[in-house]
Amino acid sequence: MTTKISIIGIAKSGTSALYSSVKSALPVPRRLLFEPNNAAELAYVTAGNENALTKGMFGSLKRQEYDPKRFTHCIAIVRDPRDIIISSTLFLFNRLKLINNKPLFEHLVSLFEKKEADPMSISVRDILEAAEAGEAEAMKDSFRTLLDSYSAYL
């Protein structure tokens, strides 16, 4: 019997690590596809008699015409959306290219240190706004998109 496994989740939820672990344990012959882009790619990985493994993102399931019935095992990693906002806030340092803006970098580090020492002393929204005007609104839009992605799957 062949095993066809689908791993789905959102960014930074552990799907890539799980994919890697399952991949190393899945017997050959096998078809592997990391984040298919469209329905044809997803159909390819599930066609045939080989074992199959794919990893996808909640936001792309409609575009891929994702059908859990194609798989013998479906794994969905669900993460508290509030946790995603906190993790995304920590990635501000990558998004804002702070290497060329030492004063802003040092200011944000001081805000994070303040939050760490006394969590009630400053809100995440204040940190986002200190990073860049409109960053809190952008994060709210991302949060809405995330909730739409989850609800579309459920």
Side-chain angles (χ1 to χ4, degrees):
M1 182 177 120
T2 60
T3 300
K4 298 189 185 297
I5 303 170
S6 168
I7 300 169
I8 56 174
I10 58 169
K12 308 294 178 221
S13 65
T15 53
S16 296
L18 182 59
Y19 176 89
S20 180
S21 295
V22 172
K23 176 181 164 184
S24 66
L26 192 64
V28 293
R30 62 189 181 191
R31 291 186 182 198
L32 306 170
L33 188 58
F34 189 88
E35 296 185 11
N37 290 311
N38 54 51
E41 288 181 1
L42 190 60
Y44 166 78
V45 81
T46 57
N49 293 323
E50 297 96 350
N51 293 311
L53 173 63
T54 186
K55 179 241 182 198
M57 307 305 285
F58 277 119
S60 60
L61 297 178
K62 284 183 181 179
R63 182 180 70 241
Q64 297 167 359
E65 298 174 16
Y66 180 85
D67 181 0
K69 294 177 189 147
R70 294 179 178 171
F71 301 93
T72 58
H73 300 81
C74 296
I75 303 166
I77 296 180
V78 180
R79 188 172 172 198
D80 185 331
R82 295 169 296 181
D83 184 42
I84 294 160
I85 289 175
I86 301 304
S87 294
S88 297
T89 302
L90 295 174
F91 279 90
L92 281 172
F93 292 93
N94 292 336
R95 286 200 313 273
L96 298 176
K97 297 178 177 51
L98 292 172
I99 196 163
N100 295 324
N101 191 341
K102 189 173 180 178
L104 180 57
F105 174 84
E106 290 173 349
H107 178 61
L108 289 174
V109 168
S110 73
L111 294 177
F112 276 106
E113 288 171 342
K114 182 178 179 181
K115 180 85 171 155
E116 183 179 33
D118 180 9
M120 299 303 290
S121 66
I122 186 169
S123 71
V124 172
R125 181 183 185 89
D126 290 341
I127 294 172
L128 289 168
E129 289 301 334
E132 188 172 278
E135 189 67 34
E137 285 303 312
M139 191 66 73
K140 279 174 47 180
D141 290 342
S142 295
F143 188 69
R144 282 188 203 101
T145 301
L146 170 68
L147 291 177
D148 290 345
S149 295
Y150 271 137
S151 62
Y153 178 72
L154 301 174

